[in-house]
Amino acid sequence: MSQEIQIYNTLTRSKERFTPRNEGQVSIYVCGVTPYDEAHLGHARPSVVFDVVRRFFEYVGYSVHLVQNFTDVDDKIIDRANARGISAVELAEMYSQRYLESMDRLGVRRAALYPKVSEHIQEIIAVIRALVENGSAYESEGSVLFSVSSFSDYGKLSKQRVEELLAGVRVESSDSKDAPLDFALWKAAKPDEPAWESPWGPGRPGWHIECSAMSLKYLGSGFDIHGGGLDLIFPHHENEIAQSEAYTREKPFVRYWMHNGLINFGNEKMSKSLGNFVTIDELVEEHGPSLVRYLILQQHYRSPMEFSPEQIVQARKGWERLNRAVQRIAALGTPLSLQEARAAAACTELVDRAEEAESRFVAAMADDFNTPAALAALFELIRDVRSQIPGDSREIDESRRCSLRAVYGVLERMGGEILGILTDESIEAERAQASGEFADALVQMILDVRDEARRSRDFATADKLRDRLGELGIVIEDTPQGSKWAFKK
């Protein structure tokens, strides 16, 4: 591809030029949700971030194959299902569907695949069996554990040494482990938990092995990008690398590791367990999907993000400024591509500004998906052309109309197709509500003038105002408390 893209690789702690495994193709695996409750803003951030990453890759010409898993076998799911008296699979399926519907409302394009743990037990068992056979894992009391000491590169993603981890207070030892850092690949069955048959007896997969088995099945060893939140670097992604490279005997398991920052709500990480979360559906219902996306994309994906009502208010100001300008330009006609504008002799130098803005936008996105800088390019374009936008679309010559349609094309491609932040039904509803409130106030003002005319016994003026409102479909009723109005039925 002609466009060079730089990605900050968590593995090397540096920006690197993106070179795909297969020319023209990008393979991405994103760690998905554990579906035991409604999806919240903390889930929306990685979904929107990697949706935009995918859209930008496609914009510059790549074919993207994105896979996102569902962890539908997990302690939290089991506990919630038992409390409700339903099966864990039933609970997980319900919330998996709700998650997908919430993402649809948010404008997140669906992944190519959404593999589930419960549907890949045999693939997981096959990987675990191979790890046992090559000496990287061992059986203990019906469970299987990965031997961290067998993998010399352990800690290379999180930049932690085994000695430091062993000294950490969060490391727990167990009689079933050969060493404290060893982690479960397969857990022996317990009462009231789902279980599957395996060579080591009935049980279920550990947390980390699922992503290795499913990503390797659908993307193969050495795929391009693995994404997820910063909180997954250790132990989840660290353990994924260890078990995957021990299994394949190939390096790297993943070429580029991308991690988004977390969302803080009241100085704490937003999470279900803390109960300090706002659901995606609540946010979309109140603010609309494109404003929620704008709120997320104002911050660079690697930065922490603070959420509060004040943040929403501030985000809305910029979002409305952008969308109102786009709406005014959209009234001039359908968008033109830069190529079409160049071919039209009527277009002016505004086309140059549109092209420069697109170049700045693309350069920002190619620099580790810097959405704040990309947004700045769009706002600069609006500022440059604001004086050229007429108050009335009829009061414009063809040259300026052609040029502004080219500006509209850039805004639509960059802000709409890539970022997904342009006007949706929420701003239309807001506009309709504002129009309705204005109409109500205008009619009431006319009625006040008519009431004053009646009190002054100027019945000719009062009757004229009543008749003119009647022509507009408004019926007047005179009461002792004053005039009231309604639309004709």
Side-chain angles (χ1 to χ4, degrees), residues 39-41 44 101-107 278-293 307 312 316 319 424-430 433:
H40 58 69
L41 185 59
E101 291 164 2
S102 295
M103 291 303 109
D104 290 342
R105 294 186 191 102
L106 199 51
V278 181
T279 70
I280 296 170
D281 289 350
E282 288 171 340
L283 285 168
V284 170
E285 178 69 24
E286 185 173 357
H287 304 289
S290 64
L291 174 56
V292 177
R293 292 177 68 101
F307 176 78
I312 287 278
R316 180 177 285 277
W319 175 78
D424 52 42
E425 64 275 6
S426 64
I427 200 169
E428 295 298 339
E430 183 180 88
Q433 179 181 353

Short mmCIF file of all heavy atoms in Angstrom, two decimals, residues 39-41 44 101-107 278-293 307 312 316 319 424-430 433:
data_model
loop_
_atom_site.label_atom_id
_atom_site.label_comp_id
_atom_site.label_asym_id
_atom_site.label_seq_id
_atom_site.Cartn_x
_atom_site.Cartn_y
_atom_site.Cartn_z
N ALA A 39 -23.75 -4.34 28.24
CA ALA A 39 -22.50 -3.72 27.79
C ALA A 39 -22.48 -2.25 28.21
O ALA A 39 -23.50 -1.56 28.14
CB ALA A 39 -22.37 -3.84 26.28
N HIS A 40 -21.32 -1.77 28.66
CA HIS A 40 -21.20 -0.39 29.12
C HIS A 40 -20.15 0.37 28.33
O HIS A 40 -19.54 -0.17 27.38
CB HIS A 40 -20.91 -0.35 30.63
CG HIS A 40 -19.67 -1.06 31.05
ND1 HIS A 40 -18.40 -0.62 30.74
CD2 HIS A 40 -19.49 -2.19 31.79
CE1 HIS A 40 -17.49 -1.42 31.25
NE2 HIS A 40 -18.13 -2.39 31.90
N LEU A 41 -19.94 1.63 28.71
CA LEU A 41 -19.02 2.49 27.96
C LEU A 41 -17.60 1.92 27.92
O LEU A 41 -16.88 2.11 26.94
CB LEU A 41 -19.01 3.89 28.58
CG LEU A 41 -18.19 4.96 27.87
CD1 LEU A 41 -18.68 5.16 26.43
CD2 LEU A 41 -18.25 6.28 28.63
N ALA A 44 -17.59 -0.14 25.06
CA ALA A 44 -17.76 0.62 23.82
C ALA A 44 -16.43 1.16 23.30
O ALA A 44 -16.20 1.23 22.09
CB ALA A 44 -18.72 1.78 24.04
N GLU A 101 -26.39 -6.12 19.59
CA GLU A 101 -27.41 -5.13 19.28
C GLU A 101 -26.98 -3.74 19.73
O GLU A 101 -27.22 -2.75 19.03
CB GLU A 101 -28.74 -5.52 19.95
CG GLU A 101 -29.38 -6.77 19.33
CD GLU A 101 -30.45 -7.37 20.22
OE1 GLU A 101 -30.73 -6.80 21.30
OE2 GLU A 101 -31.01 -8.43 19.84
N SER A 102 -26.32 -3.67 20.89
CA SER A 102 -25.81 -2.38 21.37
C SER A 102 -24.73 -1.84 20.43
O SER A 102 -24.68 -0.63 20.14
CB SER A 102 -25.24 -2.52 22.79
OG SER A 102 -26.25 -2.86 23.72
N MET A 103 -23.86 -2.73 19.95
CA MET A 103 -22.83 -2.30 19.01
C MET A 103 -23.44 -1.84 17.69
O MET A 103 -22.96 -0.87 17.08
CB MET A 103 -21.85 -3.45 18.75
CG MET A 103 -20.96 -3.81 19.93
SD MET A 103 -19.99 -2.42 20.53
CE MET A 103 -20.84 -2.12 22.08
N ASP A 104 -24.49 -2.50 17.25
CA ASP A 104 -25.19 -2.06 16.04
C ASP A 104 -25.71 -0.64 16.22
O ASP A 104 -25.59 0.19 15.31
CB ASP A 104 -26.37 -3.00 15.73
CG ASP A 104 -25.92 -4.38 15.27
OD1 ASP A 104 -24.74 -4.53 14.87
OD2 ASP A 104 -26.76 -5.31 15.30
N ARG A 105 -26.31 -0.36 17.38
CA ARG A 105 -26.83 0.98 17.64
C ARG A 105 -25.71 2.01 17.65
O ARG A 105 -25.92 3.18 17.30
CB ARG A 105 -27.57 1.01 18.98
CG ARG A 105 -28.83 0.16 19.02
CD ARG A 105 -29.61 0.34 20.32
NE ARG A 105 -30.65 -0.66 20.42
CZ ARG A 105 -30.57 -1.76 21.16
NH1 ARG A 105 -29.49 -1.97 21.91
NH2 ARG A 105 -31.55 -2.64 21.19
N LEU A 106 -24.54 1.58 18.07
CA LEU A 106 -23.39 2.49 18.15
C LEU A 106 -22.69 2.66 16.80
O LEU A 106 -21.75 3.44 16.67
CB LEU A 106 -22.41 1.95 19.19
CG LEU A 106 -21.36 2.87 19.79
CD1 LEU A 106 -21.98 4.16 20.31
CD2 LEU A 106 -20.61 2.16 20.89
N GLY A 107 -23.17 1.96 15.79
CA GLY A 107 -22.57 2.09 14.47
C GLY A 107 -21.29 1.29 14.28
O GLY A 107 -20.53 1.55 13.35
N VAL A 278 -22.04 3.08 32.95
CA VAL A 278 -23.19 3.58 32.21
C VAL A 278 -23.33 2.69 30.98
O VAL A 278 -22.36 2.51 30.23
CB VAL A 278 -22.99 5.04 31.78
CG1 VAL A 278 -24.20 5.56 31.03
CG2 VAL A 278 -22.69 5.92 32.98
N THR A 279 -24.51 2.13 30.76
CA THR A 279 -24.66 1.21 29.64
C THR A 279 -24.63 1.95 28.32
O THR A 279 -24.96 3.14 28.22
CB THR A 279 -25.97 0.40 29.74
OG1 THR A 279 -27.08 1.27 29.49
CG2 THR A 279 -26.11 -0.27 31.10
N ILE A 280 -24.25 1.22 27.29
CA ILE A 280 -24.21 1.79 25.94
C ILE A 280 -25.60 2.22 25.52
O ILE A 280 -25.80 3.31 24.95
CB ILE A 280 -23.64 0.76 24.95
CG1 ILE A 280 -22.19 0.44 25.30
CG2 ILE A 280 -23.75 1.27 23.51
CD1 ILE A 280 -21.62 -0.72 24.54
N ASP A 281 -26.60 1.39 25.79
CA ASP A 281 -27.96 1.72 25.37
C ASP A 281 -28.45 2.99 26.04
O ASP A 281 -29.15 3.81 25.42
CB ASP A 281 -28.90 0.56 25.69
CG ASP A 281 -28.67 -0.64 24.78
OD1 ASP A 281 -27.91 -0.49 23.79
OD2 ASP A 281 -29.22 -1.71 25.05
N GLU A 282 -28.11 3.20 27.31
CA GLU A 282 -28.50 4.43 28.00
C GLU A 282 -27.86 5.65 27.33
O GLU A 282 -28.52 6.68 27.11
CB GLU A 282 -28.07 4.37 29.47
CG GLU A 282 -28.88 3.42 30.32
CD GLU A 282 -28.29 3.22 31.71
OE1 GLU A 282 -27.09 3.51 31.90
OE2 GLU A 282 -29.03 2.77 32.59
N LEU A 283 -26.59 5.55 27.01
CA LEU A 283 -25.89 6.66 26.37
C LEU A 283 -26.44 6.95 24.98
O LEU A 283 -26.65 8.12 24.61
CB LEU A 283 -24.40 6.35 26.29
CG LEU A 283 -23.61 6.47 27.58
CD1 LEU A 283 -22.23 5.86 27.42
CD2 LEU A 283 -23.50 7.93 28.00
N VAL A 284 -26.66 5.90 24.20
CA VAL A 284 -27.17 6.09 22.84
C VAL A 284 -28.59 6.66 22.87
O VAL A 284 -28.94 7.53 22.06
CB VAL A 284 -27.12 4.77 22.05
CG1 VAL A 284 -27.86 4.90 20.72
CG2 VAL A 284 -25.67 4.36 21.80
N GLU A 285 -29.40 6.17 23.80
CA GLU A 285 -30.77 6.66 23.91
C GLU A 285 -30.80 8.14 24.23
O GLU A 285 -31.60 8.91 23.67
CB GLU A 285 -31.50 5.87 25.01
CG GLU A 285 -32.93 6.32 25.26
CD GLU A 285 -33.87 5.99 24.11
OE1 GLU A 285 -33.57 5.05 23.34
OE2 GLU A 285 -34.90 6.69 23.97
N GLU A 286 -29.91 8.58 25.11
CA GLU A 286 -29.91 9.97 25.54
C GLU A 286 -29.17 10.90 24.61
O GLU A 286 -29.57 12.06 24.41
CB GLU A 286 -29.33 10.08 26.95
CG GLU A 286 -29.40 11.48 27.54
CD GLU A 286 -28.97 11.54 28.99
OE1 GLU A 286 -28.65 10.47 29.57
OE2 GLU A 286 -28.94 12.65 29.56
N HIS A 287 -28.07 10.42 24.01
CA HIS A 287 -27.19 11.32 23.27
C HIS A 287 -27.03 10.98 21.79
O HIS A 287 -26.50 11.80 21.04
CB HIS A 287 -25.80 11.35 23.92
CG HIS A 287 -25.82 11.74 25.36
ND1 HIS A 287 -26.11 13.02 25.79
CD2 HIS A 287 -25.63 11.01 26.50
CE1 HIS A 287 -26.06 13.07 27.11
NE2 HIS A 287 -25.77 11.88 27.56
N GLY A 288 -27.44 9.79 21.39
CA GLY A 288 -27.24 9.40 20.00
C GLY A 288 -25.89 8.74 19.78
O GLY A 288 -24.91 9.07 20.46
N PRO A 289 -25.80 7.82 18.83
CA PRO A 289 -24.57 7.05 18.64
C PRO A 289 -23.37 7.87 18.18
O PRO A 289 -22.25 7.66 18.65
CB PRO A 289 -24.95 6.01 17.59
CG PRO A 289 -26.16 6.56 16.93
CD PRO A 289 -26.90 7.35 17.96
N SER A 290 -23.58 8.84 17.29
CA SER A 290 -22.41 9.55 16.76
C SER A 290 -21.78 10.46 17.80
O SER A 290 -20.57 10.68 17.79
CB SER A 290 -22.77 10.33 15.49
OG SER A 290 -23.71 11.34 15.77
N LEU A 291 -22.57 11.00 18.73
CA LEU A 291 -21.97 11.80 19.80
C LEU A 291 -21.17 10.91 20.75
O LEU A 291 -20.10 11.31 21.22
CB LEU A 291 -23.06 12.56 20.58
CG LEU A 291 -22.58 13.33 21.81
CD1 LEU A 291 -21.48 14.32 21.45
CD2 LEU A 291 -23.75 14.05 22.48
N VAL A 292 -21.67 9.71 21.03
CA VAL A 292 -20.92 8.78 21.89
C VAL A 292 -19.60 8.41 21.23
O VAL A 292 -18.55 8.38 21.88
CB VAL A 292 -21.75 7.52 22.20
CG1 VAL A 292 -20.94 6.53 23.03
CG2 VAL A 292 -23.04 7.88 22.94
N ARG A 293 -19.63 8.16 19.93
CA ARG A 293 -18.39 7.86 19.20
C ARG A 293 -17.44 9.06 19.26
O ARG A 293 -16.24 8.90 19.47
CB ARG A 293 -18.70 7.49 17.74
CG ARG A 293 -19.43 6.17 17.58
CD ARG A 293 -19.76 5.92 16.10
NE ARG A 293 -18.56 5.68 15.33
CZ ARG A 293 -18.13 4.48 14.94
NH1 ARG A 293 -18.79 3.39 15.29
NH2 ARG A 293 -17.04 4.36 14.21
N PHE A 307 -14.76 9.97 32.28
CA PHE A 307 -16.16 10.11 31.91
C PHE A 307 -16.93 10.81 33.02
O PHE A 307 -16.82 10.44 34.19
CB PHE A 307 -16.81 8.75 31.64
CG PHE A 307 -18.29 8.87 31.35
CD1 PHE A 307 -18.73 9.27 30.11
CD2 PHE A 307 -19.22 8.62 32.34
CE1 PHE A 307 -20.08 9.41 29.84
CE2 PHE A 307 -20.58 8.75 32.09
CZ PHE A 307 -21.01 9.15 30.84
N ILE A 312 -19.53 15.00 28.68
CA ILE A 312 -20.55 14.89 27.63
C ILE A 312 -20.93 16.29 27.12
O ILE A 312 -21.06 16.52 25.91
CB ILE A 312 -21.80 14.16 28.14
CG1 ILE A 312 -21.52 12.66 28.30
CG2 ILE A 312 -22.99 14.37 27.22
CD1 ILE A 312 -21.64 11.87 27.02
N ARG A 316 -20.39 17.56 23.34
CA ARG A 316 -21.52 17.96 22.50
C ARG A 316 -21.27 19.28 21.78
O ARG A 316 -21.67 19.46 20.63
CB ARG A 316 -22.78 18.05 23.35
CG ARG A 316 -24.03 18.47 22.57
CD ARG A 316 -25.27 18.47 23.42
NE ARG A 316 -25.72 17.12 23.68
CZ ARG A 316 -26.48 16.41 22.83
NH1 ARG A 316 -26.83 16.93 21.66
NH2 ARG A 316 -26.86 15.20 23.14
N TRP A 319 -19.06 18.54 18.78
CA TRP A 319 -19.80 17.66 17.86
C TRP A 319 -20.88 18.43 17.11
O TRP A 319 -21.05 18.27 15.90
CB TRP A 319 -20.39 16.51 18.67
CG TRP A 319 -21.25 15.58 17.91
CD1 TRP A 319 -20.87 14.57 17.06
CD2 TRP A 319 -22.69 15.53 17.93
NE1 TRP A 319 -21.97 13.91 16.57
CE2 TRP A 319 -23.08 14.48 17.08
CE3 TRP A 319 -23.66 16.28 18.59
CZ2 TRP A 319 -24.44 14.16 16.88
CZ3 TRP A 319 -24.99 15.96 18.40
CH2 TRP A 319 -25.37 14.91 17.54
N ASP A 424 -26.69 11.97 13.17
CA ASP A 424 -27.59 10.81 13.17
C ASP A 424 -28.97 11.29 13.59
O ASP A 424 -29.24 12.49 13.65
CB ASP A 424 -27.07 9.72 14.12
CG ASP A 424 -26.78 10.26 15.51
OD1 ASP A 424 -27.61 11.05 16.00
OD2 ASP A 424 -25.74 9.93 16.08
N GLU A 425 -29.85 10.33 13.90
CA GLU A 425 -31.23 10.68 14.22
C GLU A 425 -31.35 11.57 15.45
O GLU A 425 -32.32 12.31 15.60
CB GLU A 425 -32.06 9.41 14.41
CG GLU A 425 -31.65 8.54 15.59
CD GLU A 425 -30.53 7.59 15.27
OE1 GLU A 425 -29.99 7.67 14.15
OE2 GLU A 425 -30.20 6.75 16.12
N SER A 426 -30.36 11.55 16.35
CA SER A 426 -30.49 12.34 17.58
C SER A 426 -30.50 13.84 17.30
O SER A 426 -31.28 14.58 17.87
CB SER A 426 -29.35 11.99 18.54
OG SER A 426 -28.11 12.36 17.99
N ILE A 427 -29.61 14.29 16.40
CA ILE A 427 -29.59 15.73 16.12
C ILE A 427 -30.80 16.13 15.30
O ILE A 427 -31.31 17.24 15.41
CB ILE A 427 -28.27 16.13 15.43
CG1 ILE A 427 -28.05 17.63 15.60
CG2 ILE A 427 -28.27 15.77 13.97
CD1 ILE A 427 -26.67 18.10 15.19
N GLU A 428 -31.29 15.21 14.46
CA GLU A 428 -32.50 15.49 13.71
C GLU A 428 -33.68 15.65 14.67
O GLU A 428 -34.53 16.53 14.50
CB GLU A 428 -32.78 14.37 12.70
CG GLU A 428 -31.72 14.24 11.61
CD GLU A 428 -31.62 15.48 10.74
OE1 GLU A 428 -32.58 16.28 10.71
OE2 GLU A 428 -30.57 15.67 10.11
N ALA A 429 -33.75 14.78 15.66
CA ALA A 429 -34.83 14.88 16.65
C ALA A 429 -34.71 16.19 17.43
O ALA A 429 -35.70 16.85 17.74
CB ALA A 429 -34.78 13.69 17.59
N GLU A 430 -33.46 16.53 17.75
CA GLU A 430 -33.22 17.78 18.49
C GLU A 430 -33.67 18.98 17.66
O GLU A 430 -34.29 19.90 18.15
CB GLU A 430 -31.73 17.88 18.80
CG GLU A 430 -31.36 19.08 19.64
CD GLU A 430 -29.88 19.11 19.91
OE1 GLU A 430 -29.15 19.68 19.08
OE2 GLU A 430 -29.44 18.56 20.93
N GLN A 433 -37.44 19.07 17.57
CA GLN A 433 -37.97 19.55 18.84
C GLN A 433 -37.81 21.06 18.94
O GLN A 433 -38.72 21.78 19.37
CB GLN A 433 -37.25 18.87 20.00
CG GLN A 433 -37.75 19.34 21.37
CD GLN A 433 -36.99 18.67 22.50
OE1 GLN A 433 -36.19 17.78 22.28
NE2 GLN A 433 -37.24 19.11 23.71
#
